[in-house]
Amino acid sequence: MRIGELAARLGVNPKTIRFYEARGLIPDPVRLPSGYRDYGPEDESRLAFIKTAQRLGLSLDEIGEILAFKERGERPCSYVLSVLDAQLSDIDRRIGELVRLRAELVTLKDRADQLLSGDACYCGIVEHAGRMSQMITR
Amino acid sequence: MRIGELAARLGVNPKTIRFYEARGLIPDPVRLPSGYRDYGPEDESRLAFIKTAQRLGLSLDEIGEILAFKERGERPCSYVLSVLDAQLSDIDRRIGELVRLRAELVTLKDRADQLLSGDACYCGIVEHAGRMSQMITR
DNA sequence: GTACGCCTTCCACTCGGATGGAATGTCAAG
DNA sequence: CTTGACATTCCATCCGAGTGGAAGGCGTAC
């Protein structure tokens, strides 16, 4: 399949695929007589892997390292594991923080709703934002 | 306190503080007779808030909008509420994604641990990554 | 009084991750 | 045989979030 189709299947820009090729993340593909890149299913799954890993928070360099291990037939396990461990604890931290921020925003919004329906209000939301800041950064 | 001390307290580069000022995220500070910026505790907590929000994945623009509520001292209008709502649902979405990714990472890591302790492992983790990809993107 | 560290402004550059656009080539359908 | 969609290369630009460096001012310690 040509680059446009591959890109469409994965929901990415064809330029992105060429960009990954230039970065060495995907191998130089076979070319059709026309010079067009010709991709197969392995390319699709490789690209899917890249996109997944990216969603997991890995940088293109990290992904490249993992793929390179695979290329060389080496055991990337411990490296991958350490990356995974780091990602995991980072995610835990972020979830905790988001949950806290969420609670604060909800409170803030509730106040705002009340104030909207109430009369004679300037902006209690403002004072609350101050408290929010303290709570969040506590 | 001067910019260097404030920066040190927060573990950021003084340039970053000037950058935030230029972006309108923090108010133009009082100046000492020397022309040096002079910061107080409110500046420190505001900066701390920015950094926290940033760790949570908010962009500087989003943070700016939130801080602008405070600045403008406006009544909570529907625009403000809609921004808050957007922020909230975005946070919910991100929490959901992170929770899912966390579960997948744990599974992946468990597999990897097994494979590591077993013998004759090239890199099952990579092959499992393919399955992982399916699981996550399901 | 000069050395040294911190401060000022301004402009340019970095970095990761793409994207845009120009100029040109390929190919199937009308 | 031309039109249109898609492809190619190469170079430039964008975005967010800073960071670097030059040229010069301030302030305290020796």
Side-chain angles (χ1 to χ4, degrees):
Chain A
M1 102 192 84
R2 288 176 309 172
I3 202 168
E5 189 186 340
L6 179 60
R9 273 169 186 262
L10 288 150
V12 304
N13 191 315
K15 295 240 179 197
T16 302
I17 297 175
R18 295 193 194 99
F19 171 70
Y20 288 167
E21 182 185 321
R23 290 281 296 252
L25 289 175
I26 51 180
D28 290 14
V30 177
R31 298 293 181 131
L32 295 170
S34 56
Y36 292 0
R37 288 165 176 84
D38 188 23
Y39 295 101
E42 11 15 283
D43 298 298
E44 183 172 350
S45 53
R46 191 181 176 108
L47 218 31
F49 172 77
I50 294 171
K51 280 293 161 192
T52 303
Q54 217 175 16
R55 273 200 307 283
L56 294 176
L58 304 193
S59 70
L60 292 185
D61 279 355
E62 284 171 327
I63 296 169
E65 269 184 282
I66 292 172
L67 289 173
F69 276 121
K70 184 178 174 186
E71 224 88 296
R72 290 197 301 266
E74 282 174 18
R75 307 170 56 162
C77 295
S78 54
Y79 172 74
V80 172
L81 275 184
S82 72
V83 171
L84 249 38
D85 276 338
Q87 289 299 318
L88 201 52
S89 54
D90 193 52
I91 282 172
D92 281 346
R93 190 183 49 69
R94 272 151 61 198
I95 289 176
E97 283 176 346
L98 279 177
V99 166
R100 272 200 291 138
L101 178 65
R102 201 204 116 84
E104 299 313 326
L105 282 181
V106 165
T107 310
L108 182 55
K109 195 176 111 46
D110 283 352
R111 294 280 167 110
D113 282 337
Q114 277 174 19
L115 291 164
L116 253 189
S117 57
D119 48 11
C121 133
Y122 272 101
C123 193
I125 204 175
V126 169
E127 290 75 48
H128 197 73
R131 275 203 269 154
M132 173 180 109
S133 166
Q134 264 137 45
M135 293 168 85
I136 289 172
T137 62
R138 123 182 70 89
Chain B
M1 102 192 83
R2 289 176 309 174
I3 202 169
E5 188 185 340
L6 179 60
R9 272 170 186 262
L10 288 150
V12 305
N13 191 316
K15 295 240 180 197
T16 302
I17 297 175
R18 296 195 194 97
F19 172 69
Y20 289 167
E21 182 185 321
R23 290 280 299 252
L25 289 175
I26 51 180
D28 289 13
V30 177
R31 298 292 181 132
L32 296 170
S34 55
Y36 293 177
R37 288 166 175 83
D38 188 24
Y39 296 101
E42 13 13 283
D43 298 299
E44 183 172 350
S45 55
R46 191 182 177 107
L47 217 33
F49 173 77
I50 293 172
K51 280 295 162 191
T52 304
Q54 217 175 15
R55 273 200 311 282
L56 297 177
L58 302 191
S59 70
L60 293 185
D61 279 355
E62 286 169 328
I63 296 168
E65 268 184 288
I66 291 174
L67 289 173
F69 300 152
K70 188 175 171 188
E71 222 83 302
R72 288 196 303 264
E74 282 173 12
R75 306 178 67 156
C77 57
S78 50
Y79 168 73
V80 165
L81 283 181
S82 75
V83 171
L84 247 38
D85 276 337
Q87 219 84 58
L88 251 188
S89 57
D90 195 51
I91 282 171
D92 281 345
R93 187 183 50 68
R94 285 208 297 255
I95 289 176
E97 274 175 8
L98 285 176
V99 166
R100 263 199 302 133
L101 292 187
R102 192 194 187 285
E104 300 310 332
L105 279 182
V106 166
T107 309
L108 179 57
K109 196 174 112 43
D110 285 351
R111 302 266 172 114
D113 281 337
Q114 277 175 18
L115 290 165
L116 255 190
S117 57
D119 47 14
C121 148
Y122 273 102
C123 189
I125 205 172
V126 170
E127 286 74 47
H128 275 291
R131 279 204 261 156
M132 167 183 104
S133 163
Q134 267 138 43
M135 292 167 80
I136 288 172
T137 62
R138 119 184 72 89

